[in-house]
Amino acid sequence: AGAPLVTEDGHAIGTLCIIDRKKRLDISPQDLEVLSVLARQVMTELSLRKALMESQSLKSRVTGLLFNTLPPTVANRLLQLD
């Protein structure tokens, strides 16, 4: 059984699959719903990871700009305002 991994803007990027050693033909609607919930959770985690990476990149760029345009003591003081 599988559930599509779909981005917020509707792009299918893969499938979350469940594999068993024996063939099963009796997948319940509840099992399919759980698989769908897990697929949505995977997409949430991927979105959060992407946002974190973008945030870290932006922070790095801002830090570089601060140190390239301001005296180090001022730049350090501004960074401590987090």
Side-chain angles (χ1 to χ4, degrees):
L5 299 174
V6 182
T7 64
E8 289 179 1
D9 53 352
H11 293 93
I13 62 168
T15 305
L16 178 66
C17 297
I18 295 177
I19 300 172
D20 199 343
R21 293 177 186 225
K22 58 183 175 177
K23 189 173 185 177
R24 295 179 188 261
L25 300 175
D26 59 341
I27 299 172
S28 72
Q30 293 85 5
D31 291 338
L32 292 175
E33 178 61 24
V34 168
L35 185 57
S36 179
V37 168
L38 287 172
R40 288 193 304 271
Q41 183 64 33
V42 166
M43 292 309 302
T44 299
E45 294 292 331
L46 289 173
S47 294
L48 288 171
R49 182 175 181 199
K50 180 182 177 188
L52 177 61
M53 291 173 63
E54 289 171 351
S55 173
Q56 290 171 337
S57 175
L58 181 59
K59 183 176 180 180
S60 177
R61 289 176 51 205
V62 168
T63 299
L65 286 171
L66 285 175
F67 280 100
N68 285 331
T69 58
L70 299 172
T73 54
V74 175
N76 280 324
R77 187 172 284 180
L78 287 172
L79 289 174
Q80 292 173 357
L81 294 176
D82 280 346

